[in-house]
Amino acid sequence: MTDLDDVPTPQGQLTLKLLATRQDTNLYGDIPGGWLVGHMDQAAEMAAGRIAHGRTATVAIEAMDFLCPVREGSTVNIFTELREVGRSSIKIDVEVWIRTPHERNPDELQKVTEARFVMVAMDDNGRIRVVPDGH
């Protein structure tokens, strides 16, 4: 996740897809980074939950850089890929790619950001538990 590709393409599987609407923007018509991070966290939780067979929680997010702004009307595509499973932790790579509202090529996506989310499996009482074998 640290090396930039010459022709980057999304890694992993599409986990969450949404539309950036006017109500999500700041005063300048851009989507705030916090909005993106919240949805990235949601996608990481969905991916980790499938592996953990239940509840997970975010314990860390590794470095994140934003490569371009996200404007109102953009389609936001969030991809996740399993990186590592520990005893109770799950590392998920998360990438955000957008399609701008007036893109002529419907298959062209722009990369916005990426991060590694570290999740832990939780029991019903909110305590850390072991990730089941055969995830």
Side-chain angles (χ1 to χ4, degrees):
M1 287 187 51
T2 57
D3 296 328
L4 293 177
D5 297 329
D6 288 340
V7 183
T9 57
Q11 300 297 304
Q13 65 179 7
L14 180 62
T15 304
L16 192 59
K17 186 173 189 170
L18 31 108
L19 181 65
T21 64
R22 180 167 301 183
Q23 66 189 14
D24 302 317
T25 63
N26 61 20
L27 295 172
Y28 304 101
D30 296 320
I31 299 299
W35 184 89
L36 287 172
V37 173
H39 288 293
M40 291 171 75
D41 187 56
Q42 184 180 31
E45 186 174 357
M46 291 169 65
R50 287 192 293 268
I51 296 158
H53 301 277
R55 183 178 176 191
T56 63
T58 306
V59 293
I61 302 172
E62 295 185 5
M64 183 182 306
D65 294 318
F66 292 93
L67 306 174
C68 66
V70 178
R71 304 287 299 171
E72 171 190 344
S74 296
T75 303
V76 179
N77 300 277
I78 304 177
F79 295 84
T80 58
E81 184 172 35
L82 175 64
R83 183 56 47 211
E84 181 182 324
V85 178
R87 185 174 187 281
S88 60
S89 65
I90 302 166
K91 292 183 179 181
I92 304 286
D93 289 345
V94 182
E95 295 183 356
V96 176
W97 293 73
I98 61 167
R99 179 169 291 111
T100 56
H102 305 294
E103 181 58 52
R104 289 190 178 153
N105 179 354
D107 296 324
E108 187 171 321
L109 295 174
Q110 273 186 288
K111 188 172 188 177
V112 176
T113 191
E114 66 183 9
R116 181 163 293 155
F117 282 68
V118 181
M119 316 295 287
V120 293
M122 307 287 287
D123 67 16
D124 291 337
N125 297 314
R127 290 190 204 92
I128 295 173
R129 65 174 171 84
V130 174
V131 174
D133 289 335
H135 43 274

